[in-house]
Amino acid sequence: DIRIASPLSPATDMPALPGVADAHGRKRHGQPSVRAAAAFTLLLALSAVLLAAWWRHLPAPPRSDTAADLVVVAPVMLESNDVEAAWIRLGVMDYIASRLRDQGGLTVLPSQRVVGLLVEGNGSELDSRNHLLKATGAATLVEPLAHRYEGGWRISLMLHARSGRHGVNGAGDTPLAAAGRASDALLAYLGRAPAITRATAPDPLGENVLRLDAAMLGGDLGEARNVIAGMSESMRGNPLLRVREGQLLFRGGRIDEAEKMFAALEAQLVELPVDVQAQTLMGLGAVAVRRADFAGAELRYAEALAALGSQGSQELSGNGYSGRGVARAAQRKFDLALADFSRARIALERAGDVPGVASIDTNLGLLESRRGQWTQALQAFDRAIGIFERYGVNDSLAASLLGKSRAQLALVDPAGALATSVRASTLAQKLENPVLTGNIAELHADILLRTGSIAAASTLLERDRNDGDTANSRELRIELELARGNSQAALALARNNHAAMATGRAALLLARAGLASGSDDDSLGHAIEATPEPVDDAQAAASLELARALWLAAHDEPVRATESFERALARTDRDVDPDLRVDVICRYIDFLVAGRHLDRASELAGQIAGYADRDYRAARASALLYRALGDPAPLATAQIHLRTLAGEREPTLPH
């Protein structure tokens, strides 16, 4: 199941697409990456892959206006521990849920959401029942019980509703036949006689599909592969199985193989059922997201939506709109992206998929972050986090926490970012998605460096060194060597990094490493000056101008340095994270105090005064200014903040 709703999705399995790993920008020590847009698109893509619902055909139920209209089907209880019947717990649960939805028009919570809610539950039957009802807000719960007897199966369904309890039974040669009869009996009791009567249970292909879905619902990819391997060649050739096999390959990180599977299905697209067409096209869209081909992803999701039409599955439509919205946001088509997210929200609400709606909030949080609407971004992330916690959707929860911690860091709240990042890192230990866990680890290392936890950051970076050489990992290692005081090592790394990617961020790191090492190598200055001017990227432009200012200041060109500092400051007036503006101001204050331009330094210090008790750079700049002004009382306060925030850094001021 490729769980891709928008792309990046965390339910979709929104994963930092391997192909974009090098583009994931991070904001370190107040210098946001010049690849801010790339970082945003990666997060979005990740969000879509992690937050979407499982790709299955679910006919559109009527719009539900309240949670009281929602029906929850619990996993099947088995009277025996028959290993061969283990798939019944989730497979028959999903079959009953689909039958109530398809035949009775009920709004039924998607099965993967039920599984997520019960993953950590190990209490009594009553505890599980109460947990499901409390977490979902639903007023109706169906509890199935399977009993095997000589010659067949009996499925009992116990309905728990505000009007009371009611039980029905169904018997048959197979568990699915029994479940079908029990479901029909329940619908008849509810006055929801099915419009289409299914006289028989699923054939062998249908049963194998349910077995496969059950394994994927339970997160057992190995068992899912075993189910496929045990099928005949003719059965495996069925498009219903092939699209699921493609989703399984994608979920397991075998992107090239998944693409081949989806491409083969596309070659016979017009012959396929509508839901399989949509899943095939969304599979290709997911692959495009993983490879940062957002224009291609937008096209694929649009094709999937066209295939579904106005009468298609609400869940698939929600995933399609979400995926296209992410692809559009990655291309800075923000208004179109917001429109798609709104459509996705309605579709997923109609499908009864509350966590799917939360995935839209995650995408909105990412989008608002990119637009600099920080308050709205944090509110959106918090809404999503609350729902994912209730439902136990850990991959989506981790992705939302990742987005929130980035926003907190951008807002110059390193302590808040650290607390959120610790939560994400703890969750990451339970996740299998290597891209998501890699992003979480990198951001956590970044925040550790920002808060002075140098040894912990070093341990984390060393542990993840085998993950490959990305722009993020290179920048983090430069920051680490600078924090350790290993200026020559930092300079060597910064030279290589700038040679690989001559960006504003790389130029700033090169300037800082060169100055820390005391290098007078003119080639460094030439490299900084030769860095291409960023186009339509205020973050990158401000970083490059700051790099020039630092180099000029260190090489006794105060007039030109002042001009560069002022240009860097002007470029942080809009479309730039507050964190970068604080960094520019703090470094400018250093320069102004050294030149005894205390009036201008005082003017700028007022802009960072609100950060001095939570940000090490602001505390240091404030202390530097108050010492130059000879004002002991505020100097003492600033020095207390400096020592408190220093961590493993030496909180001394230059003479």
Side-chain angles (χ1 to χ4, degrees):
D1 112 313
I2 294 185
R3 284 176 168 179
I4 274 186
S6 353
L8 177 161
S9 261
T12 20
D13 232 356
M14 259 179 183
L17 321 185
V20 239
D22 288 353
H24 304 176
R26 295 288 184 277
K27 297 176 171 105
R28 284 175 259 304
H29 297 318
Q31 318 333 289
S33 167
V34 297
R35 297 180 311 288
F40 164 73
T41 56
L42 166 61
L43 251 189
L44 275 180
L46 187 54
S47 169
V49 178
L50 296 176
L51 297 176
W54 285 45
W55 290 358
R56 302 194 54 228
H57 177 58
L58 300 175
R63 174 71 178 277
S64 173
D65 293 324
T66 67
D69 296 324
L70 185 66
V71 176
V72 176
V73 179
V76 178
M77 292 179 286
L78 295 164
E79 290 187 342
S80 66
N81 293 321
D82 188 341
V83 176
E84 292 185 1
W87 72 273
I88 293 174
R89 181 172 179 270
L90 301 182
V92 174
M93 171 195 73
D94 195 34
Y95 178 63
I96 293 170
S98 296
R99 199 167 178 92
L100 296 179
R101 183 187 298 112
D102 297 358
Q103 303 302 307
L106 296 173
T107 302
V108 184
L109 185 71
S111 296
Q112 80 274 10
R113 305 308 185 189
V114 177
V115 174
L117 280 169
L118 295 176
V119 163
E120 298 179 359
N122 54 6
S124 66
E125 174 185 334
L126 179 60
D127 289 337
S128 297
R129 179 190 311 152
N130 290 338
H131 177 56
L132 283 172
L133 292 173
K134 181 179 179 181
T136 62
T140 304
L141 174 70
V142 177
E143 288 185 311
L145 172 67
H147 171 70
R148 189 173 197 170
Y149 60 88
E150 185 176 352
W153 287 81
R154 183 176 68 249
I155 299 292
S156 301
L157 302 180
M158 179 58 68
L159 176 72
H160 299 270
R162 288 175 181 168
S163 59
R165 300 173 61 191
H166 181 77
V168 297
N169 297 293
D173 294 340
T174 68
L176 294 177
R181 294 190 177 105
S183 299
D184 287 347
L186 182 59
L187 287 172
Y189 170 75
L190 294 172
R192 296 284 189 124
I196 301 174
T197 301
R198 296 182 183 175
T200 60
D203 58 15
L205 172 63
E207 181 171 328
N208 273 300
V209 168
L210 284 168
R211 287 175 179 270
L212 176 59
D213 287 346
M216 295 176 76
L217 275 171
D220 191 345
L221 303 190
E223 175 58 22
R225 296 185 190 101
N226 290 338
V227 171
I228 291 176
M231 296 181 192
S232 66
E233 285 300 318
S234 60
M235 192 175 291
R236 287 186 66 176
N238 187 286
L240 206 60
L241 260 302
R242 291 171 69 200
V243 75
R244 280 168 167 74
E245 188 169 1
Q247 293 166 355
L248 180 61
L249 290 167
F250 182 93
R251 192 173 174 186
R254 296 160 66 178
I255 308 303
D256 291 341
E257 294 173 67
E259 182 179 28
K260 289 179 181 178
M261 182 70 72
F262 293 132
L265 285 167
E266 186 189 21
Q268 60 179 103
L269 200 64
V270 295
E271 305 168 13
L272 305 179
V274 168
D275 60 317
V276 178
Q277 290 184 38
Q279 292 178 75
T280 296
L281 293 165
M282 283 197 241
L284 292 168
V287 169
V289 168
R290 291 291 291 249
R291 292 179 172 153
D293 177 11
F294 297 109
E298 178 184 5
L299 175 61
R300 291 304 192 179
Y301 283 108
E303 291 172 341
L305 289 166
L308 288 169
S310 60
Q311 302 301 314
S313 155
Q314 291 300 315
E315 190 166 10
L316 285 177
S317 293
N319 293 346
Y321 281 123
S322 183
R324 190 173 68 178
V326 168
R328 285 174 163 177
Q331 299 172 79
R332 302 179 64 84
K333 300 177 181 179
F334 297 132
D335 290 340
L336 291 174
L338 286 171
D340 274 343
F341 290 155
S342 296
R343 295 187 186 101
R345 178 185 293 277
I346 296 301
L348 293 173
E349 283 179 348
R350 294 183 66 192
D353 189 356
V354 178
V357 175
S359 75
I360 302 303
D361 277 326
T362 296
N363 286 341
L364 285 174
L366 296 167
L367 183 57
E368 297 294 9
S369 295
R370 184 68 186 96
R371 289 151 60 96
Q373 301 298 315
W374 304 108
T375 300
Q376 293 92 318
L378 289 177
Q379 289 172 346
F381 285 130
D382 282 336
R383 287 195 302 271
I385 288 167
I387 291 174
F388 290 139
E389 284 180 322
R390 273 173 46 202
Y391 277 78
V393 188
N394 286 337
D395 52 0
S396 299
L397 175 58
S400 298
L401 290 168
L402 175 63
K404 180 179 178 179
S405 57
R406 286 187 186 285
Q408 290 172 307
L409 198 59
L411 285 169
V412 201
D413 181 11
L418 179 61
T420 303
S421 182
V422 167
R423 292 177 63 191
S425 298
T426 301
L427 278 174
Q429 297 173 16
K430 305 175 184 179
L431 303 180
E432 296 183 7
N433 187 316
V435 181
L436 177 58
T437 57
N439 274 269
I440 290 171
E442 285 188 354
L443 182 61
H444 192 53
D446 189 350
I447 296 171
L448 288 171
L449 288 171
R450 282 284 300 273
T451 54
S453 298
I454 299 171
S458 176
T459 299
L460 186 56
L461 289 172
E462 285 300 319
R463 189 190 73 188
D464 296 334
R465 181 178 288 275
N466 294 330
D467 288 346
D469 180 39
T470 68
N472 283 331
S473 63
R474 290 196 301 268
E475 291 179 3
L476 280 170
R477 289 190 173 89
I478 296 168
E479 294 284 10
L480 175 62
E481 296 303 339
L482 287 171
R484 286 169 165 171
N486 298 334
S487 57
Q488 293 299 328
L491 179 57
L493 291 172
R495 284 181 184 275
N496 292 335
N497 183 58
H498 189 270
M501 185 178 293
T503 64
R505 170 66 185 167
L508 182 53
L509 285 170
L510 183 62
R512 289 176 54 210
L515 299 181
S517 68
S519 174
D520 287 324
D521 188 344
D522 289 340
S523 66
L524 296 181
H526 293 321
I528 293 169
E529 285 297 328
T531 302
E533 288 288 342
V535 177
D536 194 27
D537 190 337
Q539 293 268 136
S543 295
L544 178 56
E545 202 61 64
L546 180 57
R548 291 168 175 165
L550 292 175
W551 191 259
L552 291 168
H555 290 79
D556 200 24
E557 294 195 50
V559 174
R560 292 181 62 199
T562 300
E563 292 172 348
S564 281
F565 272 120
E566 289 291 342
R567 282 194 293 269
L569 189 61
R571 286 176 173 174
T572 63
D573 282 342
R574 61 178 183 176
D575 298 330
V576 166
D577 297 345
D579 189 74
L580 178 55
R581 183 171 177 84
V582 168
D583 197 65
V584 171
I585 290 174
C586 289
R587 295 186 186 281
Y588 194 8
I589 287 175
D590 279 4
F591 169 73
L592 292 169
V593 168
R596 304 299 297 175
H597 301 293
L598 302 186
D599 286 344
R600 178 59 172 151
S602 298
E603 178 185 348
L604 293 174
Q607 298 185 33
I608 61 168
Y611 302 114
D613 63 346
R614 60 179 179 175
D615 183 83
Y616 179 77
R617 300 160 304 168
R620 181 184 177 281
S622 297
L624 195 65
L625 174 62
Y626 289 130
R627 189 182 66 183
L629 292 171
D631 202 336
L635 173 59
T637 300
Q639 288 180 321
I640 290 173
H641 294 323
L642 187 61
R643 288 192 294 271
T644 301
L645 298 168
E648 296 163 28
R649 294 166 289 204
E650 185 61 40
T652 56
L653 300 176
H655 296 290

